[in-house]
Structure formats: C-alpha cells, structure tokens
C-alpha cells in the first residue's frame, strides 16, 4: 500500500458511525522503519494524533477507530518524523549525494512497516532509510 493513497482518507469513529477527521500526515519511526501513527486534520478538538495500534482497520476507503478516546497529541522528536514535506522532495545519501525525488513510501497495512521507498527513478529498500526532515529524506548510499 502506498502512503500517498492513505493521505486524505476519512477516519470513522465506529462507536458513533461518524467521520471525525481525515489523515493529513504520517509519523515515521526511521529507526524501526515503520509508521507509528497518523496526524489528523479537520478534527474537532486538540487531539489530532492517531497511534497505529489504536486503529481498528486501515481500509481501502477509510481508517476506522473504536472511539475518540484513542486520539492523542503527536509525538515530538525522536518519536517520529512527519512525512508531509518529504513526499515529492529531495533524497540525499549519507555520502552527500542527491538522488531523485521521493515519490512514495510503501507500507504494510497490517503493521505499518515501511517496506520500500519509491523514488522517481528507482526503488530503495526500507533499511536504507536514515531520516526524514524538512530539507530532505536521508538514505544510506546505494553505492556503498
């Protein structure tokens, strides 16, 4: 599943059968190579973070949760890196070499594991991911 296809999906509270927001961003633990949760938009109230473990399902059309009590506040560093500015932006290697732009992150919808990084000209394994920041996504140099 591509991360870009998850961005914008509605989040549905199963206890009230209502849409409580939408997925605006993902928080990635670059050490564990997995999505730790989603930052939601269009939510009534200050709680905008949905931890991965608190989802009932990541479906093709919506994300479902048991109820609003599973929402919290987004973790700060080093808890994860936001991806909103990373998709479409530059990818640099740890050797300081610029690669192509980051097109998408491929994720496993069952556990949030990042399985690969799709660049505009190649695909890199998830293990190459070192960091995601506002300037660039950093990966281990594939020439190493």
């Amino acid at each position: 599943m591509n991360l870009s296809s998850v961005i914008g999906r509605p989040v549905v509270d199963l206890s009230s059968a209502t849409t409580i927001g939408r997925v605006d961003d993902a928080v990635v633990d670059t050490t564990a190579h997995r999505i730790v949760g989603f930052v939601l938009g269009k939510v009534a109230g200050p709680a905008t973070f949905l931890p991965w473990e608190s989802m009932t399902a990541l479906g093709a059309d919506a994300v479902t949760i048991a109820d609003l009590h599973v929402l919290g506040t987004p973790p700060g560093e080093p808890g994860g890196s936001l991806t909103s500015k990373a998709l479409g932006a530059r990818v640099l290697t740890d050797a300081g070499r610029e690669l192509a732009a980051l097109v998408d992150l491929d994720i496993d919808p069952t556990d949030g594991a990042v399985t690969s990084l799709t660049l505009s000209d190649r695909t890199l394994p998830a293990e190459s991911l070192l960091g995601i920041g506002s300037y660039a996504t950093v990966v281990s140099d594939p020439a190493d």
Side-chain angles (χ1 to χ4, degrees):
M1 173 177 286
N2 293 329
L3 177 61
S4 62
S5 71
V6 178
I7 304 298
R9 282 191 192 169
V11 178
V12 178
D13 175 354
L14 296 176
S15 68
S16 65
T18 60
T19 301
I20 56 100
R22 70 162 191 251
V23 176
D24 271 357
D25 206 348
V27 179
V28 179
D29 179 335
T30 55
T31 303
H33 304 110
R34 70 178 291 270
I35 305 289
V36 294
F38 296 111
V39 177
L40 307 182
K42 299 196 176 199
V43 178
T48 61
F49 181 68
L50 173 59
W52 183 272
E53 294 78 21
S54 297
M55 289 187 306
T56 307
L58 175 58
D61 299 312
V63 175
T64 59
I65 60 174
D67 61 53
L68 287 174
H69 296 99
V70 301
L71 300 181
T73 56
E77 293 294 335
S81 301
L82 296 173
T83 62
S84 61
K85 292 188 170 95
L87 297 181
R90 68 177 42 93
V91 176
L92 295 176
T93 70
D94 56 351
R97 192 166 56 97
E98 186 165 349
L99 302 178
L102 180 65
V103 174
D104 224 330
L105 294 178
D106 297 314
I107 61 171
D108 183 331
T110 61
D111 63 4
V114 175
T115 56
S116 64
L117 290 79
T118 303
L119 280 56
S120 58
D121 67 348
R122 69 186 91 187
T123 300
L124 298 175
E127 296 75 31
S128 66
L129 178 62
L130 300 175
I132 298 174
S134 60
Y135 179 72
T137 296
V138 178
V139 298
S140 54
D141 198 317
D144 289 347

